Amino acid sequence: MNRITKLFAEATEPILNVYATAGYPNYGDTMTVLNALQAGGVDIIEIGMPYSDPVADGETIQQSNQVSLDQGMSVAHLFEQLKDMRQTVSVPVLLMGYINPVLQYGVEAFCKKCAEVGVDGLILPDLPMAEYESEYQAIFEQYGLYNIFLITPQTTDARIAQIDAISKGFIYMVSSASTTGAKTGISSDQETYFKRIESMNLKNPRLIGFGISDRASFLKASESAAGAIIGSAFVKLLGQAQDLHAEIVDFVQSIKGKK
């Protein structure tokens, strides 16, 4: 069973997915960050593959992408850093990024490498659903990878139903029509949107992302979904941390209410 499916089947409390940019704050920090996230009690780790034009991301994550690229990070180097990941990391791991670097690497070679290092799924916001179905779904499935789709307040019910039909694992529910880190907290408009999606009775669970930054917003979002995703607030912490491991553990425990 895919680790993502197992997690959602067995979870007894809200699921916390934390995003971290690979090779940030320093090129060699990827596994340090992953191990600290696991030590803190995170449920899913989402690793950002640095890209020069991360259109869905706000300033904080864009800057981390640039720092990582400037330090020499690439898809090939990331796979090298992750080659022994499953010796210490047992939680589900997703790679998040944009389709261009995947195409440059070669889609099948990329999926094969994901399976080798123990990646469970991919989030590729600019991969069109029709293209995924016609070109890549069979390859993803061959290597046991889930493709996680995003929905927004502007996504039609018909399209959401289509996404739900071809999805496995969970659906990434973008809380607002903005970039990551642009807003914090949950507005009444967002709550209306959450209720609309809830009323659709989708087969896949949902995690809410964008604007989740602390325990209060995590719990609020989790009232309308299986859990939530934190990105910019965590990347900001990485950029300022003096003691990377200790501060990551502290951050995760503060969100999960374990301290």
Side-chain angles (χ1 to χ4, degrees):
M1 185 189 289
N2 185 291
R3 292 178 192 88
I4 300 168
T5 302
K6 191 169 189 293
L7 170 67
F8 281 90
E10 296 175 357
T12 56
E13 55 184 42
I15 289 169
L16 174 61
N17 175 350
V18 173
Y19 167 97
T21 303
Y24 184 80
N26 299 297
Y27 176 83
D29 286 337
T30 306
M31 282 307 305
T32 302
V33 172
L34 267 60
N35 287 323
L37 283 168
Q38 169 144 309
V42 79
D43 299 297
I44 302 176
I45 299 172
E46 187 180 326
I47 306 170
M49 299 181 287
Y51 183 52
S52 55
D53 187 24
V55 291
D57 294 303
E59 188 179 357
T60 298
I61 292 177
Q62 282 185 18
Q63 285 177 347
S64 71
N65 272 237
Q66 196 55 56
V67 168
S68 181
L69 289 170
D70 290 345
Q71 294 176 148
M73 182 53 72
S74 67
V75 170
H77 288 138
L78 175 58
F79 282 135
E80 182 61 26
Q81 291 185 349
L82 298 181
K83 70 178 191 296
D84 298 320
M85 173 177 73
R86 287 301 175 193
Q87 291 182 16
T88 55
V89 176
S90 59
V91 300
V93 172
L94 301 163
L95 294 187
M96 185 274 176
Y98 297 86
I99 191 63
N100 195 37
V102 177
L103 294 174
Q104 288 179 356
Y105 194 90
V107 175
E108 181 149 12
F110 181 89
C111 291
K112 184 171 186 283
K113 206 71 185 168
C114 283
E116 281 175 14
V117 303
V119 168
D120 301 288
L122 302 171
I123 302 173
L124 301 166
D126 61 342
L127 172 58
M129 180 169 57
E131 192 175 323
Y132 168 71
E133 281 191 280
S134 62
E135 303 285 332
Y136 307 125
Q137 186 172 0
I139 301 171
F140 277 47
E141 289 178 353
Q142 179 186 343
Y143 291 101
L145 296 170
Y146 288 176
N147 186 39
I148 308 300
F149 287 95
L150 285 75
I151 63 172
T152 75
Q154 284 68 45
T155 309
T156 64
D157 286 5
R159 184 170 174 79
I160 291 168
Q162 277 184 296
I163 286 171
D164 189 44
I166 66 165
S167 289
K168 289 179 179 174
F170 69 93
I171 292 171
Y172 190 135
M173 193 168 158
V174 177
S175 66
S176 63
S178 65
T179 56
T180 57
K183 297 177 182 175
T184 56
I186 306 293
S187 69
S188 57
D189 282 351
Q190 287 170 305
E191 288 189 38
T192 302
Y193 157 57
F194 297 164
K195 288 193 176 86
R196 171 170 75 93
I197 304 305
E198 224 170 338
S199 71
M200 292 182 70
N201 295 315
L202 304 177
K203 71 179 175 71
N204 285 284
R206 303 168 310 285
L207 295 181
I208 294 174
F210 290 43
I212 315 301
S213 60
D214 54 20
R215 179 155 174 78
S217 52
F218 172 69
L219 290 177
K220 186 68 179 170
S222 297
E223 291 174 8
S224 304
I229 301 164
I230 295 181
S232 296
F234 182 69
V235 171
K236 201 169 285 182
L237 174 138
L238 293 180
Q240 298 168 350
Q242 301 298 308
D243 182 338
L244 204 54
H245 183 91
E247 290 182 47
I248 290 171
V249 169
D250 191 56
F251 178 88
V252 175
Q253 290 184 341
S254 73
I255 304 295
K256 296 281 282 184
K258 304 295 187 189
K259 50 171 284 202

